[in-house]
Amino acid sequence: MARLVIVSNRVQIPHEKNPRAGGLAVALGSGLVPGTMWFGWSGKRGHVEEGAKPALHEAQGVTYATIDLTEREYDDFYVGFSNGALWPLLHFRMGLFEFKREEEEGYAAVNNRFAESLLPLLKDDDLVWVHDYHLFPLGAALRAHGAGHRIGFFLHIPFVPPAMLAIMPRAREFIAGICAYDVVGFHTEDHKKAFLECVHVFLGVSADKDGNFVFEGRRVQVVVDPIGIDAEEFAAAAARSVRGTKVKRMRESLFERKLVIGADRLDYSKGLPQRFRAFARLLDRFPAHRRHVLMMQVAATSREDVDQYKQLRRDLDRLVGDINGRFSEFDWTPIRYMTRAMNRTTLAGFYRMAQIGLVTPLRDGMNLVAKEFVAAQSSADPGVLILSQFAGAAHELGEALLVNPFDADGVAEAIDQALNMELGERKERWHALRDKVWAGTPERFTETFLAALRPA
Ligand code: GDG
């Protein structure tokens, strides 16, 4: 069978200390099978020798091949174009889009270096699967260096319609570059539709009813493949964790109060200021909940070198201070807010003991936290998932309470509804969600994509 070569910006080597919070690492980590190679950035930056070869590590039958970045590459490729331009634009945040020509060039140059470093490691019949927005042009760069492989690309974040993509200089070249792949995958029909509209508007090419089209002689297949989690493993971790000392301490600290939990990377796409304001709105409009409920938000810092993230952190510090200052009583503080990452098993236990999971991104490719919250619940007394209608997960998890995260009153009402929901309704909703979350394993995600990528 052909070998699978996964390429992503960051490679998560299993023995690395302090695994980072982040959906891609979690999803790919549990879908890797022996024999696979995973290629990408080591996370290290500094001096890089001309023509330096990738470092190779073996663990559990998987080969990890990594390269380092120079400081300049990190600034232009990672901080600049990937996270200062592409991330905000593809999350519909045109006001945060910061475009600099030299960063766009740095982005292209790093993609080219990825291609040059990867090519000598490839065998003729390898299947190459590239992940996420850092590496849009990698397929075209590999082709330019002569790669004749089947190469696929999966985007973990949303895609925007043509009127939005138009703010990117050279949008046409950007879209044309993506068409160097044989297969392009998205989490939802909406993302796929937006991409095909861009192909139509910028390249003048129409897809057939299945989303296939031909551009410059290459047949491109566009697929929808929603990512999933290892629900069984997460449920077991949650069940184990609720018997442990941390959950016990947490329970004691709550004094019978109900817990509303959120856990997200500290990122403006996750709608944290809006979420805190909605919680404050709940306390304003439904004062009976004061002193009987508290919200815990774990917001592990991420991308701390990107200006928009520094600003968000300052805004959140202030907002939480304002809300806690306004509502706290001598023996109750409404919001607990942490910016350090939490141990995954502990987090699973906290999800299980919470009455509500608040997952309210302004825009999200999928959102694995929503699926993890469902997986963590006990069948005897499940909590309620409140989910943004703008998360990719909302396309699958319709039995959650779906909310518009921009509507503080609407979210406050949903929290009130969830706090008052009878056990019967909670069970009914959870069972429906459970079936869907259990069906969407990481193996199914990988298999669906590879079925399209394998040569006919
Ligand atoms: C991108 C897309 C898409 C969070 N805080 C902690 C922690 N986490 C873990 C969660 C979850 C993961 O990080 C976050 O995944 P999401 O999917 O929710 O979001 P992104 O990181 O933005 O991921 C997203 C995903 O890629 C996959 O395609 O779903 O839409 O944006 O697993 O549990 N883990 C630990 N401590 C924390 O404090 N250990």
Side-chain angles (χ1 to χ4, degrees):
M1 223 177 44
R3 178 175 72 156
L4 173 62
V5 176
I6 290 176
V7 189
S8 67
N9 169 51
R10 250 314 239 127
V11 170
Q12 181 94 48
I13 300 174
H15 59 71
E16 266 186 5
K17 287 188 295 241
N18 306 322
R20 296 153 320 122
L24 195 143
V26 168
L28 291 187
S30 52
L32 285 176
V33 292
T36 307
M37 180 164 90
W38 190 356
F39 178 92
W41 175 36
S42 61
K44 295 192 196 109
R45 33 195 239 252
H47 177 72
V48 176
E49 292 287 339
E50 179 81 34
K53 292 209 171 69
L56 299 176
H57 311 254
E58 288 280 331
Q60 288 139 29
V62 176
T63 305
Y64 297 84
T66 57
I67 58 172
D68 302 342
L69 293 182
T70 66
E71 289 294 345
R72 176 80 197 269
E73 286 174 332
Y74 173 77
D75 287 343
D76 289 346
F77 156 77
Y78 182 77
V79 176
F81 197 70
S82 295
N83 287 312
L86 286 174
W87 178 272
L89 175 59
L90 294 177
H91 284 88
F92 293 58
R93 299 296 291 273
M94 294 162 78
L96 297 177
F97 175 69
E98 281 186 11
F99 179 86
K100 294 198 186 109
R101 178 78 63 89
E102 66 272 20
E103 291 176 351
E104 184 199 48
E105 287 165 3
Y107 175 82
V110 169
N111 271 273
N112 195 47
R113 195 152 79 73
F114 264 57
E116 285 170 350
S117 307
L118 173 60
L119 206 58
L121 302 178
L122 292 183
K123 301 178 195 157
D124 284 349
D125 64 343
D126 281 348
L127 295 174
V128 182
W129 188 8
V130 179
H131 289 262
D132 231 5
Y133 62 101
H134 315 86
L135 302 176
F136 277 116
L138 180 60
L142 283 166
R143 300 269 183 239
H145 289 284
H149 301 76
R150 294 280 296 170
I151 311 178
F153 177 80
F154 189 85
L155 184 64
H156 289 259
I157 66 177
F159 205 82
V160 284
M164 280 193 181
L165 194 75
I167 70 168
M168 167 126 83
R170 285 169 294 290
R172 185 192 182 279
E173 289 73 8
F174 174 74
I175 290 288
I178 302 173
C179 300
Y181 292 104
D182 297 293
V183 180
V184 179
F186 298 94
H187 289 305
T188 72
E189 288 292 344
D190 281 2
H191 306 159
K192 170 179 169 179
K193 185 164 162 271
F195 173 67
L196 289 176
E197 281 169 9
C198 288
V199 168
H200 181 70
V201 167
F202 292 104
L203 306 179
V205 173
S206 300
D208 67 18
K209 66 174 179 13
D210 298 321
N212 304 319
F213 63 89
V214 176
F215 179 67
E216 292 183 345
R218 179 176 306 284
R219 183 176 174 278
V220 183
Q221 187 181 352
V222 183
V223 299
V224 173
D225 185 14
I227 201 164
I229 60 164
D230 184 342
E232 201 59 54
E233 176 260 344
F234 202 80
R240 213 166 48 242
S241 176
V242 283
R243 296 190 296 269
T245 53
K246 293 221 174 90
V247 171
K248 181 164 175 278
R249 272 170 55 201
M250 177 70 156
R251 264 215 185 88
E252 286 168 2
S253 79
L254 288 176
F255 291 103
E256 311 276 314
R257 292 184 175 111
K258 290 188 171 168
L259 176 65
V260 177
I261 194 163
D264 310 76
R265 282 184 307 98
L266 204 159
D267 191 300
Y268 51 79
S269 66
K270 305 297 181 185
L272 298 173
Q274 290 79 356
R275 190 179 303 173
F276 289 139
R277 279 192 218 107
F279 191 69
R281 198 80 191 110
L282 172 89
L283 301 175
D284 255 332
R285 282 192 44 206
F286 304 95
H289 294 307
R290 290 186 197 174
R291 306 189 65 245
H292 299 291
V293 61
L294 70 82
M295 172 174 173
M296 182 169 89
Q297 177 65 50
V298 182
T301 49
S302 108
R303 305 178 191 166
E304 291 170 90
D305 294 330
V306 183
D307 286 342
Q308 295 99 323
Y309 290 71
K310 293 180 191 150
Q311 184 59 43
L312 173 67
R313 187 163 179 185
R314 285 193 291 270
D315 292 348
L316 289 172
D317 285 349
R318 183 158 172 196
L319 184 60
V320 173
D322 282 351
I323 297 171
N324 278 341
R326 188 164 148 228
F327 291 100
S328 283
E329 296 184 19
F330 65 87
D331 59 351
W332 169 68
T333 307
I335 300 179
R336 291 183 191 174
Y337 171 59
M338 276 158 271
T339 56
R340 268 171 296 146
M342 193 171 270
N343 170 282
R344 188 167 165 79
T345 305
T346 308
L347 201 52
F350 289 165
Y351 287 161
R352 193 176 174 98
M353 63 171 295
Q355 275 68 36
I356 297 177
L358 210 43
V359 182
T360 55
L362 306 183
R363 208 40 86 162
D364 219 324
M366 172 56 72
N367 197 301
L368 296 177
V369 173
K371 296 187 171 183
E372 290 166 354
F373 181 80
V374 171
Q377 299 310 303
S378 78
S379 57
D381 187 16
V384 180
L385 174 64
I386 297 181
L387 177 62
S388 164
Q389 68 189 84
F390 304 120
H395 289 248
E396 295 173 81
L397 306 183
E399 291 79 8
L401 293 183
L402 295 185
V403 293
N404 178 341
F406 295 92
D407 176 13
D409 281 280
V411 177
E413 285 157 12
I415 301 173
D416 175 63
Q417 182 187 349
L419 288 170
N420 292 318
M421 196 181 284
E422 298 293 341
L423 180 62
E425 182 178 350
R426 282 192 279 126
K427 279 187 172 173
E428 212 172 287
R429 286 177 183 271
W430 178 76
H431 276 286
L433 294 172
R434 183 199 183 279
D435 290 348
K436 294 176 182 172
V437 169
W438 254 257
T441 60
E443 291 75 14
R444 192 215 44 78
F445 168 71
T446 303
E447 216 14 78
T448 303
F449 193 90
L450 293 185
L453 188 60
R454 283 188 197 105

